[in-house]
Amino acid sequence: MTTQTFTKMAPPQWLLDMWKEIDEKTFGKGFDCFAENAVCNLGVADWRGRETIRANLRAFIDTGFTAHHEVVEYWDSPQLKIFHGKVGMTFDDPGMTARKPSMVHFFYMDQADPSKVSRWIGAVGPVAFQ
């Protein structure tokens, strides 16, 4: 068994910068928070490497919507950061209703460089129930 202590606090700038890159569809320096060999598992995605993460997120966001990430809570520990928020999704298609699903993300920090994310696991949604 492993015990980890977390502190609820304001989200760090690196995380806000990453969400801003996604929200503004710029995908620039905000992704420097990832280690070069970082792994990202968002839903069924299994993306390996910072540049692959950046490229695949750009391709996903460019599929017809604009996102706006909001912080609900952020929990910090040395090795693991937990983000809970909501993401507003406004679709390019005027026939689609805007949505605001809940999301949770786990950021595991790199052991060699604890200022970088080595693994990102996240879940968003569902965006609708049928």
Side-chain angles (χ1 to χ4, degrees), residues 16-91:
L16 297 175
D17 290 346
M18 184 199 70
W19 293 134
K20 184 178 179 189
E21 296 282 359
I22 295 170
D23 292 350
E24 294 180 356
K25 298 184 179 188
T26 51
F27 298 93
K29 287 191 166 284
F31 280 80
D32 292 349
C33 65
F34 293 102
E36 276 190 48
N37 62 346
V39 173
C40 176
N41 301 112
L42 296 178
V44 298
D46 184 29
W47 302 329
R48 296 176 181 272
R50 177 177 51 220
E51 296 312 314
T52 301
I53 294 168
R54 185 189 322 255
N56 284 318
L57 272 173
R58 179 186 308 239
F60 173 68
I61 295 294
D62 283 345
T63 60
F65 73 96
T66 299
H68 176 74
H69 293 82
E70 296 177 26
V71 176
V72 174
E73 59 187 323
Y74 173 80
W75 292 86
D76 190 274
S77 77
Q79 297 87 14
L80 176 61
K81 319 304 183 181
I82 302 173
F83 174 87
H84 169 223
K86 297 207 178 269
V87 58
M89 301 170 75
T90 305
F91 298 92

Side-chain angles (χ1 to χ4, degrees), residues 86-102:
K86 297 207 178 269
V87 58
M89 301 170 75
T90 305
F91 298 92
D92 298 345
D93 179 348
M96 292 185 71
T97 305
R99 299 200 170 76
K100 198 172 194 178
S102 185

